[in-house]
């Protein structure tokens, strides 16, 4: 029993020290330094000392036992609800002393509590989970009734019907009952920064019972999807408080399963509640430069190396470094946009470095960076090698001829040809420039006094003797003004932070009033359009022209004209937004509707326009908690516009009283039958000629065509009804209509009309009722 208790105690101290070292290496900033390391309960001993035993839990790791000093108890009593406290790290020597001094007390207490503590300490399904300083009553309650469990939290996502898995939390069951998790993607613009890419939902974890103590740290696992990784980027969990101050946690695992859910999850230990998300950010590499110097190759790219000579700094300095690769396509975009950058051939990666600038450089630091060579020079070197091979062949032939006839002229000719070919391509006006960002001056400068040398395999080297927050090497094909170089690196920084994107607005083929609006990366546009076609969406309108967007910026849009939209089918006329994240797919499904069903009467479609505006993160931060209003964008210039049309749906139109006469007057009924009989007798050509002679406005003709687009007889009937309605009651309608028929070339119908009117002989009452029904 003594051996097992001593092993358990020593294992507890060792695990606590390893855990603290691991948490500090994960870069959790201030949170990890102030977290406790175990979940314990005070059990009074026979000699007055307190033994701290962890509570029971299920399906977690090993339990640990640790002593709590009087100072820790005082801190616990003074700050029972505070989440920040000091870390106490017992050493193995203290364990040995504790073994010698308190072996008997531990044995006695352990034997007296054998049914409760020994069984719990040996349990394989318990955990060494850290906790806050709990009171005795709360600790006993957690240990007695709160086993550790893993719970799935579901949350609703705006714009989606089904709930999504927000996260998995491993904590005591009583704690899980008091936790609530929400997905708050609307605030994603405020939690991301430059060079970061959001790859998960933004979730908020809070406790319903604010007075309830939580045994920190607890484990959370957040599902994420990262499409682009690489050596230069890393996956981190970003923790943001309510004041939007952030820190980063390195995931302890990327498990593919959580419960029955399959996917990729970033699991971390947290020491406070707040806002959490998973981001892809530039990988940070940290190393310490001792006084004796250091030669360091970066793990993210072994081609990048630094050499600090001995006595570079008067004391050890810790350096943090990030590398931003520059894609050649970005340089090509700037060269195509601005002619003054035409001489730029290539660039090295952009290096961001942090170490105390208060310490001056006693010696110069050597830096090696990759910088692709000039492709034109490479082609010329290939031609040079080909020329050298030809000259070598000529030299061998010449040597043979020299041995035969002792002729020196051929040998001289060979050397001259070889020399002339070797010089070809070496006179290119190529130069290498180093640009650095000085934090004190807050500007980019060209370091003309720094000499950059070419090395093998596209590497360059130079020495720098001052602190630069960022630096880059630019290869030029010919000389370029320093001012233009500074403008180039400023434009390059903006392009790096931005991504080219397009807005796509497609309609459902079967239901043209249903649309989908997406923000799509320009390089993925064709693939996204193909996916939309497979879902049954198509244009017009076509996608917009590409434009630049930074991570977290938003596209707000509204509808104008005779079309507006709704996301729920009830509220129309609102403004909508899409938040841009390069590794996520902002998407919004809307339902279109006409504003005025009698509008656009001269067109077979309702017409409208979707107007898009870009909102920067700075603007969003000022007004993020205010609702969107369409009038808020009146002072802004639109980013782009898309014209929309909505086909007019067929519907039963009850004829107004102006065209459908229902009267007890027998003459009115006779006229209705007469006009319908005449409409059936007239052909399309006759109707066109008749409409030219009838005193009818052009707008009336267009309205008649819209009311009866597929039935010529009904069109002619409506036209004659409009004509008859506008006549005074005293007019001789039969005589006027007969004259118009004769002018349009239908004298036969004119005579027949006169005969039927005089004899009141009509057989078309049946047709009238059929049409009416």
């Amino acid at each position: 029993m003594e051996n097992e208790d001593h092993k358990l105690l020593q294992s507890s101290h060792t695990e606590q020290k390893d855990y603290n070292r691991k948490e500090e290496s994960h870069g959790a900033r201030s949170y990890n330094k102030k977290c406790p390391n175990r979940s314990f309960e005070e059990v009074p001993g026979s000699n007055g000392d307190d033994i701290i035993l962890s509570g029971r839990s299920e399906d977690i790791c090993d339990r640990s036992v640790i002593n709590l000093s009087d100072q820790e108890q005082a801190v616990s009593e003074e700050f029972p609800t505070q989440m920040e406290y000091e870390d106490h790290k017992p050493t193995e020597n203290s364990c040995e002393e504790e073994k010698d001094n308190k072996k008997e007390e531990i044995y006695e207490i352990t034997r007296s509590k054998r049914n409760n503590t020994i069984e719990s300490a040996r349990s394989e399904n318990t955990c060494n989970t850290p906790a806050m300083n709990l009171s005795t009553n709360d600790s006993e309650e957690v240990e007695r009734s709160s086993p550790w469990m893993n719970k799935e939290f579901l949350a609703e996502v705006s714009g989606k019907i089904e709930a999504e898995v927000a996260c998995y939390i491993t904590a005591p069951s009583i704690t899980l009952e008091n936790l609530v998790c929400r997905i708050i993607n609307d605030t994603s613009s405020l939690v991301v920064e430059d060079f970061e890419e959001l790859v998960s939902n933004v979730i908020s974890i809070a406790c319903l019972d604010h007075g309830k103590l939580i045994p920190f740290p607890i484990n959370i696992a957040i599902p994420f999807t990262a499409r682009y990784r690489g050596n230069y980027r890393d996956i981190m969990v970003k923790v943001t408080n309510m004041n939007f101050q952030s820190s980063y946690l390195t995931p302890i695992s990327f498990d593919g399963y959580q419960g029955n859910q399959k996917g990729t999850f970033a699991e971390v230990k947290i020491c406070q509640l707040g806002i959490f998300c998973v981001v892809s950010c530039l990988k940070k590499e940290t190393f310490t430069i001792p006084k004796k110097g250091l030669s360091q190759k970066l793990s993210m790219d072994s081609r990048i190396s630094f050499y600090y000579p001995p006595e570079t700094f008067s004391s050890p300095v810790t350096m943090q470094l990030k590398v931003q690769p520059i894609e050649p396509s970005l340089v090509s975009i700037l060269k195509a946009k601005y002619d003054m950058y035409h001489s730029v051939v290539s660039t090295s990666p952009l290096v961001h470095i942090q170490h105390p600038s208060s310490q001056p450089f006693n010696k110069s630091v050597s830096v090696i960076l990759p910088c692709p060579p000039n492709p034109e020079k490479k082609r010329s070197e290939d031609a040079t090698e080909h020329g050298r091979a030809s000259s070598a062949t000529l030299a061998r032939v010449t040597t043979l001829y020299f041995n035969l006839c002792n002729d020196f002229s051929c040998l001289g000719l060979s050397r001259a040809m070889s020399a002339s070919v070797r010089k070809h391509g070496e006179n290119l006006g190529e130069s290498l420039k180093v640009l650095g960002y000085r934090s004190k001056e807050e500007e980019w400068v060209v370091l003309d006094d720094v000499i950059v040398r070419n090395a093998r395999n596209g590497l360059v080297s130079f020495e720098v003797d001052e602190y630069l927050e960022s630096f880059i090497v630019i290869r030029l094909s010919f000389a370029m003004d320093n001012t233009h170089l500074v403008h180039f690196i400023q434009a390059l920084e903006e392009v790096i932070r931005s991504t080219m994107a397009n807005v796509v607005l497609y309609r459902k083929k079967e239901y043209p009033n249903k649309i989908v609006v997406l923000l799509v990366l320009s390089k993925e546009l064709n693939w996204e359009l193909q996916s939309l076609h497979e879902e049954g969406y198509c244009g017009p309108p076509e996608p917009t022209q590409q434009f630049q967007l930074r991570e977290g910026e938003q596209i707000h849009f509204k509808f104008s004209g005779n079309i507006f939209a709704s996301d729920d089918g009830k509220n129309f006329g609102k403004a909508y937004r899409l938040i841009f994240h390069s590794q996520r797919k902002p998407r919004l499904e809307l339902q279109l509707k006409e504003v005025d069903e009698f509008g656009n009467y001269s067109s077979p479609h309702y017409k409208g326009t979707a107007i898009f505006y870009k909102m920067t993160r700075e603007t969003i931060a000022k007004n993020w908690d205010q609702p969107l209003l369409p009038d808020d964008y009146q002072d802004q210039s639109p980013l782009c516009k898309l014209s929309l049309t909505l086909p007019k749906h067929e519907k039963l139109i009850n004829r107004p009283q102006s065209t459908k006469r229902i009267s007890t007057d027998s003459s009115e009924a006779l006229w209705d039958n007469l006009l319908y009989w005449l409409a059936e007798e007239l052909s399309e050509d006759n109707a066109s000629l008749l409409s030219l002679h009838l005193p009818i406005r052009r707008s009336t003709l267009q309205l008649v065509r819209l009311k009866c687009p597929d039935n010529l007889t009904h069109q002619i009937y409506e036209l004659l009804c409009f004509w008859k309605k506008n006549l005074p009651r005293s007019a001789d309608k039969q005589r006027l209509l007969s004259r118009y028929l004769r002018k349009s070339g239908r004298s036969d119908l004119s005579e027949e009309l006169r005969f039927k009117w005089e004899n009141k002989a009509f057989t078309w009452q049946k047709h009238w009722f059929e049409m009416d029904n």
Side-chain angles (χ1 to χ4, degrees):
M1 179 68 68
E2 293 177 0
N3 293 337
E4 289 180 356
D5 290 339
H6 169 61
K7 290 180 181 179
L8 183 61
L9 182 63
Q10 186 174 5
S11 173
S12 167
H13 298 321
T14 306
E15 289 175 0
Q16 181 190 18
K17 183 165 60 178
D18 293 341
Y19 171 80
N20 293 332
R21 186 184 303 112
K22 181 176 182 182
E23 288 294 300
E24 292 177 358
S25 65
H26 285 166
R29 292 188 180 179
S30 62
Y31 305 115
N32 297 330
K33 294 182 180 180
K34 297 182 181 181
C35 277
N37 294 296
R38 295 291 182 267
S39 177
F40 300 120
E41 178 186 8
E42 297 180 357
V43 179
S46 58
N47 59 350
D49 294 331
D50 294 334
I51 302 297
I52 311 304
L53 300 176
S54 63
R56 296 189 61 186
S57 61
E58 295 181 1
D59 300 329
I60 317 288
C61 28
D62 295 333
R63 171 169 316 206
S64 33
V65 180
I66 188 171
N67 289 334
L68 182 65
S69 65
D70 296 336
Q71 181 180 1
E72 289 176 295
Q73 296 178 14
V75 172
S76 174
E77 295 174 357
E78 184 176 358
F79 303 100
T81 61
Q82 187 176 355
M83 289 192 300
E84 296 184 359
Y85 31 76
E86 294 184 358
D87 221 356
H88 298 276
K89 301 180 179 180
T91 60
E92 295 184 5
N93 293 332
S94 65
C95 294
E96 295 294 337
E97 294 175 2
E98 200 163 352
K99 172 186 174 183
D100 297 334
N101 297 333
K102 297 186 178 181
K103 181 191 303 181
E104 297 297 331
E105 288 85 353
I106 295 175
Y107 177 77
E108 293 294 330
I109 294 172
T110 307
R111 187 176 63 177
S112 64
K113 301 291 182 178
R114 181 172 184 178
N115 294 333
N116 297 325
T117 60
I118 297 302
E119 180 181 359
S120 136
R122 290 181 178 180
S123 174
E124 297 180 355
N125 296 326
T126 55
C127 176
N128 57 347
T129 306
M132 293 179 60
N133 292 326
L134 303 177
S135 63
T136 303
N137 295 333
D138 291 337
S139 299
E140 291 176 353
E141 181 182 357
V142 170
E143 182 175 9
R144 181 174 62 255
S145 60
S146 299
W148 283 68
M149 299 176 61
N150 183 277
K151 180 179 178 181
E152 177 188 73
F153 283 81
L154 299 177
E156 296 182 355
V157 183
S158 177
K160 295 184 178 180
I161 300 177
E162 297 182 358
E164 289 187 6
V165 177
C167 64
Y168 289 84
I169 301 180
T170 302
S173 59
I174 191 172
T175 300
L176 295 176
E177 294 176 358
N178 290 279
L179 294 181
V180 59
C181 183
R182 297 186 300 121
I183 294 179
I184 51 173
N185 288 335
D186 291 342
T187 63
S188 62
S189 299
L190 306 177
V191 301
V192 295
E193 300 175 359
D194 290 335
F195 306 113
E196 293 181 353
E197 297 174 355
L198 184 69
V199 295
S200 74
N201 290 320
V202 181
I203 64 174
S204 171
I205 303 177
C207 184
L208 296 176
D209 187 359
H210 297 286
K212 188 69 178 179
L213 299 180
I214 301 177
F216 287 112
I218 59 178
N219 285 30
I220 66 169
I222 305 174
F224 72 95
T225 302
R227 294 182 291 164
Y228 309 112
R229 298 289 288 273
N231 296 332
Y232 296 96
R233 306 195 70 85
D234 208 351
I235 298 296
M236 303 288 286
V237 174
K238 193 169 186 178
V239 187
T240 307
N241 59 19
M242 296 306 173
N243 296 325
F244 293 101
Q245 298 174 350
S246 302
S247 62
Y248 298 85
L249 298 176
T250 301
I252 58 179
S253 69
F254 295 100
D255 290 338
Y257 288 91
Q258 285 289 335
N260 297 327
Q261 188 78 14
K262 180 181 179 181
T264 308
F265 302 86
E267 184 177 359
V268 292
K269 292 180 179 293
I270 62 172
C271 297
Q272 67 171 4
L273 303 182
I275 301 173
F276 301 87
C277 62
V278 184
V279 296
S280 172
C281 55
L282 291 179
K283 186 178 295 185
K284 181 187 295 185
E285 187 159 340
T286 304
F287 52 87
T288 301
I289 307 165
K291 293 181 62 177
K292 64 180 180 179
L294 178 69
S295 178
Q296 180 73 27
K297 286 186 177 181
L298 301 187
S299 61
M300 63 187 75
D301 191 344
S302 60
R303 299 175 300 173
I304 303 175
S305 61
F306 294 83
Y307 174 67
Y308 291 84
E311 303 297 333
T312 301
F313 299 105
S314 56
S315 62
V317 171
T318 300
M319 184 178 74
Q320 293 181 344
L321 188 141
K322 296 180 181 179
V323 177
Q324 171 65 53
I326 307 298
E327 297 182 3
S329 59
L330 300 181
V331 178
S332 301
I333 291 174
L334 292 178
K335 291 172 65 176
K337 191 174 182 180
Y338 304 101
D339 293 337
M340 60 182 178
Y341 304 147
H342 184 67
S343 63
V344 178
V345 176
S346 61
T347 68
S348 70
L350 180 59
V351 181
H352 304 278
I353 187 170
Q354 290 182 1
H355 57 70
S357 57
S358 58
Q359 293 198 39
F361 284 59
N362 299 324
K363 296 182 181 179
S364 298
V365 177
S366 299
V367 182
I368 298 178
L369 295 176
C371 187
N374 192 342
E376 295 182 1
K377 183 176 180 181
K378 188 177 185 305
R379 285 193 293 268
S380 63
E381 289 177 352
D382 294 340
T384 301
E385 294 298 330
H386 178 71
R388 287 177 179 175
S390 301
S391 62
T393 304
L394 181 59
R396 287 194 297 271
V397 175
T398 305
T399 303
L400 178 60
Y401 185 73
F402 169 75
N403 294 332
L404 295 175
C405 61
N406 197 20
D407 187 355
F408 294 93
S409 60
C410 292
L411 182 59
L413 177 62
S414 173
R415 290 175 178 174
M417 292 177 61
S418 177
S420 63
V421 175
R422 187 179 299 113
K423 290 181 181 179
H424 178 70
E426 294 181 357
N427 294 327
L428 296 174
E430 183 180 278
S431 61
L432 293 164
K433 294 288 185 179
V434 178
L435 282 76
Y437 184 84
R438 293 171 178 167
S439 57
K440 293 182 178 180
E441 303 174 5
E442 294 186 353
E443 63 178 8
W444 283 92
V445 294
V446 181
L447 307 179
D448 290 322
D449 55 341
V450 176
I451 300 175
V452 185
R453 300 177 179 86
N454 278 305
R456 294 182 179 179
N457 301 326
L459 301 179
V460 296
S461 63
F462 60 93
E463 295 181 352
V464 62
D465 57 358
E466 64 174 323
Y467 171 68
L468 298 173
E469 188 174 307
S470 303
F471 57 84
I472 190 174
V473 176
I474 299 178
R475 188 184 296 274
L476 304 173
S477 59
F478 53 86
M480 186 174 174
D481 187 73
N482 286 352
T483 304
H484 292 166
L485 281 174
V486 173
H487 291 165
F488 172 79
I489 187 59
Q490 292 173 348
L492 185 61
E493 273 192 314
E494 185 64 25
V495 171
I496 293 172
R497 295 189 182 100
S498 304
T499 306
M500 304 305 293
N502 302 75
V503 173
V504 178
L505 192 155
Y506 269 12
R507 299 184 298 180
K508 199 79 171 179
K509 291 181 180 179
E510 295 82 3
Y511 307 98
N513 62 327
K514 294 185 178 180
I515 64 170
V516 59
V517 187
L518 294 90
L519 267 178
V520 181
L521 296 179
S522 297
K523 59 184 178 182
E524 300 179 357
L525 179 60
N526 293 334
W527 185 84
E528 290 291 345
L529 294 182
Q530 182 179 355
S531 299
L532 289 176
H533 284 301
E534 294 175 356
E535 294 180 30
Y537 290 96
C538 63
E542 297 301 322
T544 64
Q545 296 294 328
Q546 61 182 7
F547 47 84
Q548 290 185 353
L549 281 179
R550 295 170 67 174
E551 187 78 10
E553 288 187 338
Q554 298 181 4
I555 295 296
H556 293 196
F557 62 97
K558 63 178 183 177
F559 295 86
S560 64
N562 199 26
I563 293 178
F564 54 7
S566 171
D567 55 354
D568 57 5
K570 299 178 181 179
N571 300 319
F572 287 84
K574 299 188 299 182
Y576 302 94
R577 67 179 172 185
L578 292 171
I579 305 177
F580 175 73
H581 296 290
S582 58
Q583 293 209 43
R584 294 172 69 82
K585 297 180 179 180
R587 174 173 176 151
L588 190 60
E589 296 183 2
L590 301 174
Q591 180 178 350
L592 297 181
K593 185 180 179 182
E594 70 279 0
V595 179
D596 182 8
E597 62 176 342
F598 299 105
N600 305 119
Y601 61 86
S602 61
S603 172
H605 305 277
Y606 297 114
K607 297 179 180 180
T609 304
I611 308 175
F612 297 87
Y613 301 87
K614 183 172 78 171
M615 306 292 288
T616 62
R617 292 207 307 263
E618 292 75 15
T619 305
I620 297 167
K622 296 178 182 178
N623 307 309
W624 71 274
D625 56 343
Q626 299 178 3
L628 302 176
L629 297 175
D631 296 336
D632 295 340
Y633 315 111
Q634 291 182 354
D635 299 333
Q636 298 187 19
S637 299
L639 177 66
C640 55
K641 296 181 180 181
L642 288 177
S643 298
L644 299 174
T645 59
L646 190 62
K648 296 181 178 180
H649 49 275
E650 295 183 2
K651 56 184 177 180
L652 297 176
I653 301 177
N654 294 326
R655 293 185 183 84
Q657 293 295 327
S658 60
T659 58
K660 181 181 178 180
R661 299 283 183 171
I662 302 178
S663 176
T664 57
D665 189 358
S666 59
S667 63
E668 291 296 328
L670 292 176
W671 264 111
D672 286 339
N673 293 332
L674 179 63
L675 293 180
Y676 193 77
W677 161 78
L678 188 58
E680 287 192 334
E681 294 295 329
L682 291 174
S683 64
E684 184 176 0
D685 295 337
N686 299 144
S688 300
L689 292 175
L690 180 62
S691 63
L692 294 177
H693 298 288
L694 289 174
I696 297 295
R697 295 179 180 180
R698 183 179 179 182
S699 59
T700 302
L701 296 175
Q702 294 175 344
L703 180 60
V704 167
R705 293 193 186 98
L706 289 176
K707 292 179 66 176
C708 308
D710 301 325
N711 195 316
L712 179 62
T713 301
H714 290 184
Q715 289 182 10
I716 300 174
Y717 173 78
E718 291 287 340
L719 184 65
L720 294 174
C721 288
F722 270 108
W723 166 78
K724 178 177 171 293
K725 184 197 70 158
N726 294 327
L727 292 177
R729 287 183 177 271
S730 60
D732 190 348
K733 305 178 184 61
Q734 183 269 327
R735 185 176 60 85
L736 291 175
L737 187 56
S738 298
R739 185 174 64 182
Y740 295 145
L741 288 172
R742 287 194 299 269
K743 288 183 178 182
S744 61
R746 294 302 303 267
S747 301
D748 56 332
L749 289 180
S750 175
E751 293 298 329
E752 191 172 355
L753 174 65
R754 184 181 60 81
F755 174 79
K756 288 183 178 293
W757 177 256
E758 292 176 354
N759 295 282
K760 304 294 188 287
F762 299 101
T763 57
W764 306 100
Q765 191 70 24
K766 179 181 178 181
H767 296 284
W768 163 248
F769 283 112
E770 287 179 354
M771 184 187 71
D772 185 31
N773 294 331

